[in-house]
Amino acid sequence: MDTVTAFTILCLLIVEARIIPDNYSKERRALLDEETLTAVGGKQHLNEDETIANDILMKWKMNELNESYINPQHFNFSKHYFSYKKDIEKSKVYQIIKRMPKGAVLHVHSSLMLSADVLVKLTYEDHLYACYSHDDVRLYFSETTPDRPCPTKWDLVSELRNSSGDPAAFDSQLKKYFTLDKDDGEDYNFVDINTVWKRFDKVYFAIKSLISYRPVREKYWYETLQQFYDDNIMYIEIRSGLQSLYELDGTKHNKKYLLDLYKKVTEKFIETHPDFIGVKLIITKHRAQSIDQVLEALNMARRLKVEEPDMIAGFDLVGQEDIGRPLTDFLPALSEAKGDINFYLHAGETAWLGTSADENLVDAILLGSKRIGHGYALTKHPSLMSAVMKKDIALEVNVISNVVLSLVHDVRNHPLASYLAMGAPVVLSSDDPGAWSAEPLSHDFFVAFMGVASKHADLRMLKQLALNSITYSALDDEGKARLLKVFNERWDRFVRDVITDVSLLDTNVV
Amino acid sequence: MRSVILAVLPILFIHAKCDDKYHEKRKQLVELELRMALGGNSTLNDKENIVNNCLMQHKFNELDYGFDNPDHYNLSHHFFNYRKQIQKSKVYKIIQSMPKGAVLHVHDMAIIGPDYFVNLTYMDHLYVCFGKPIKFWFSYTVPNTTCDGDWKLMKDVRKAAANVTQFDADLRKHFTLVCDNPDVVYPSIKETWDTFMGYFTSVFGLLSFRPNWEQYFYDALKLFRADNIMYVEVRSILPNLYELDGTVYDKIITAKAYRKAINKFLKDYPDFLGAKLIFAPSRKVDAKVLDSYIQTARHIKRDMPDLYAGFDLVGQEDLGNPLIEFVPQLLQAKDLNFFFHAGETNWFGTLTDENLVDAVLLGAKRIGHGYALAKHPALMREVIKKDIGIEVNVLSNAVLSLVKDVRNHPLNIFLSLDLPVVLSSDDPGAWEADPLSDDFYVAFVGVASRLADLRMLKGLALNSLKYSALKAEHKVRAIREFNSRWNDFVNHFDCKSY
Ligand SMILES: [Zn+2]
Ligand SMILES: [Zn+2]
């Protein structure tokens, strides 16, 4: 053998050594495929148009993610939501998600659904008085100066606004009471969870004082439906404590009145928006309340369920879980009511492991909760996780809420990533979008899709998440079928929109 | 064990009409989870129970204070902000005096800490270059390596300083990532890794000076031993050592220097079990360079089989080459024993993330970090099936910007699934942490369940020997030795002394 041949053979051998053997590639592919197939949406099949739409979506997703991968200092989702919120609208992926039908919102608290800007408009209603006390505001509608306690004094908002000389500035001051997003440059990473919840409660009470007035609540609710509808949501399950509303003359309504109001306003909304399916209520009580108070609320929910079976989905306990009472405190009452009403319990909305809030997950499962609110701590509990999968208990995941309420900083560490990978029954929701002025659902979808899910996650995952919100809703079979029909029609229209939209064609123009 | 658990579950979920039954079932479920967790299946003897009661009493005190006062809950903040306060913790003191077995994931140039390097700068013939980052070189004459400014004699520079104490304090800052306002200094992973890489450039010239190298590793072993560690596997890029006259040696000499330092240490401290080397060069290389690395590894393995433990590739995973690019070569080199860094990332579905697949398929004995593993159910199953050790470094992940609040660290998932976890410290010197105790403390109090106790700590220590690269018979001996030290610790335990 001459040297040239020897050299050639040597080269060939080296080249051969540089090729990945078939069996390795096959094994590798098998593992990756298994994971793709297991993940949420992995078994969805896309038709031809959907495939084209998916290509467009993924082209933009890769474009935007690669930019952050190369410049991690620009990667927004590792920072606080408030720091990148304003930039979201620029994202093409977001623009697609915004237009996408998203099915239902299943975890949202009724008083915190509308953003601060809209709430400020509601303060233009006549007869509104305000009581300012250092960093707090209480509002009350009244013909005359309210005969209610106030550490300072009650003033007519219209007069305060007029005499301020700068109504716009006055409004932007007022707006701050209605949102946690104060745009004041504070580093939210330093704010501890109890402080955030205190601020959150403050926002809640300010808003509540505005919308307890019956005429304003009607407007509030109609506007809320409009905004959710505009965000491509066709059905909502709201959590509500059913507070008492009042009239200008001070008359107070009973709690059921609010249920009737929701029903009446929603029906009116459906008249002009016939493809909106409707609203159901999950009656809630604050978990810091006494056992008797919770029992009372539970009994009211049972009674209302009999009176208005279509309007009542179930019962839940709300408020900061870490410091509230654990579910075990209410066990006798809850087990006793289990046959009459479905539970949709908040559980495991905590960063702690092995505490009572963490163990609420055990009780939520044992009590037969239909869905679990948050379930943030679930990944740390393998046997509970397998119970959730086996019993098909949906997890209502609210990523932005968990960021704002101090459970997680970099959303890539959010347990949703694991739930998605495992193909867990996940529904995405927004918890209290009004309290941080988020879009009804699109922001949450966007952050989950870009920041939490796998880079490979595509339209199939988005579609599956939307479908999950239908499957795991409290609607009966007929209701689900109706919602699904509306969803499918809108979905097809959405897909056609995406593939014909010229503004989505060129990925080079950002 | 796992299939048994699944069989038990359906019975547990039949709803109880009567309250007693509910509570019984609830208790069973909670206990089941604790039993499934790492260490949960072991039992403690009477003496161990006494230690455990003391440990848990202090743990509950510390945790419950943090729970009630989240504004003062240290472990949800940056390590630099609570680093010094750990030392006051009684749980920490117990952990420190507890035998912890082995450290299996640590990089040689970042073990000891900044003061050590400041001292080295007092040596003769040291030149300094005040570039970005600062560089050092020992030489008889002005070094001819590149410098963004001028090479100056360190002695002269220090002499010219108005205030030497201040000068040294400023100098010290180049040898540590620790600072007073970490959230401002390190807003993202980029700034952290830039500083971290700068650290290595700065200490490189000080350490790879041949006389320093041997002494340094000897001193590092001393530090491990003082932290109640009995065996170490150290990762090294094997820097080419140099002399004052400019002589530069090859990597084999560096390995030999290791062997020399270890042997000397074992002679001086016969109770120490030893140290092994994982050759871990940079992943930012081409195939040709990797070939040469593989050759070097084979060479060391052949000539110094007792020293050689295995092979790895290092550097910020997100920026380096993914393993897949090297698969053809690495498949031909499985005899080298792989201990790959893999999945040290927050990104999901990226090449870095998928390094986990290749680490598993290439037959890695252990995986460095595996931070992304919780997002990969199929890979997690393979890790369990193949019993691949996961080297978890919580403080490293916190300092190097993967996670802020350690309660969100995936270690808690690994622990509750009883994955083969070993705790380690990665680069403790670079952030002025203990060789291992700080990491153990943060994992135990900040990451693990509130209810995790001495059994978990013991299980973690035992894992560090079980998943070490020690030969079977040495492993048996090491575990026997560990048990005897553990018994000493337990027998002499006095709660009042903490
Ligand atoms: Zn909620
Ligand atoms: Zn490492």
Side-chain angles (χ1 to χ4, degrees), chain B residues 105 107 235 341 344 369 393 426-427:
Chain B
H105 185 122
H107 299 272
R235 280 169 164 86
H341 276 74
E344 185 185 2
H369 296 286
N393 311 287
D426 213 7
D427 308 278

Side-chain angles (χ1 to χ4, degrees), chain A residues 112-279:
Chain A
L112 300 168
M113 295 168 74
L114 209 48
S115 63
D117 289 323
V118 191
L119 293 170
V120 167
K121 281 187 201 134
L122 293 174
T123 65
Y124 277 80
E125 295 287 316
D126 280 344
H127 310 297
L128 178 59
Y129 284 84
C131 162
Y132 286 94
S133 57
H134 61 291
D135 57 346
D136 221 350
V137 71
R138 281 289 171 283
L139 301 164
Y140 196 76
F141 288 91
S142 176
E143 211 111 44
T144 54
T145 308
D147 180 22
R148 299 165 72 83
C150 170
T152 53
K153 72 187 209 351
W154 289 100
D155 290 305
L156 260 178
V157 170
S158 54
E159 279 176 12
L160 289 174
R161 184 178 280 122
N162 285 338
S163 60
S164 73
D166 186 351
F170 176 85
D171 283 354
S172 75
Q173 274 311 110
L174 188 58
K175 190 179 132 183
K176 287 186 182 166
Y177 293 100
F178 299 141
T179 180
L180 285 165
D181 181 10
K182 300 209 166 36
D183 205 15
D184 53 4
E186 179 179 7
D187 189 341
Y188 299 94
N189 296 323
F190 291 106
V191 187
D192 73 275
I193 188 165
N194 285 2
T195 305
V196 172
W197 272 89
K198 267 184 212 125
R199 293 181 187 177
F200 177 69
D201 286 342
K202 222 172 242 177
V203 166
Y204 167 70
F205 283 116
I207 293 174
K208 190 178 161 191
S209 74
L210 172 67
I211 63 175
S212 295
Y213 178 51
R214 193 263 313 156
V216 166
R217 177 64 69 120
E218 283 176 0
K219 286 186 182 157
Y220 167 87
W221 188 241
Y222 194 92
E223 185 58 32
T224 299
L225 292 174
Q226 187 67 54
Q227 300 228 347
F228 274 61
Y229 183 87
D230 292 342
D231 204 28
N232 276 300
I233 289 145
M234 294 298 117
Y235 168 73
I236 313 172
E237 287 175 16
I238 56 171
R239 280 164 163 88
S240 166
L242 289 185
Q243 56 172 129
S244 311
L245 303 183
Y246 66 91
E247 300 285 346
L248 196 57
D249 61 8
T251 326
K252 280 191 89 172
H253 296 285
N254 65 16
K255 285 174 182 289
K256 169 131 192 306
Y257 185 91
L258 180 54
L259 174 65
D260 294 333
L261 181 148
Y262 281 133
K263 191 176 168 184
K264 197 182 70 194
V265 175
T266 307
E267 277 165 2
K268 191 174 143 222
F269 182 80
I270 291 175
E271 274 172 31
T272 47
H273 304 81
D275 56 353
F276 188 75
I277 299 297
V279 167

Side-chain angles (χ1 to χ4, degrees), chain A residues 24 34-35 366 381 383 413, chain B residues 15 33 358 371 376 381:
Chain A
Y24 186 93
E34 182 192 339
E35 295 218 324
L366 287 175
H381 297 282
S383 63
N413 289 316
Chain B
H15 296 307
E33 291 244 315
D358 296 296
Y371 187 90
H376 296 281
R381 183 197 61 217

Side-chain angles (χ1 to χ4, degrees), chain A residues 291 433 499 501:
Chain A
I291 294 167
I499 63 182
D501 185 341

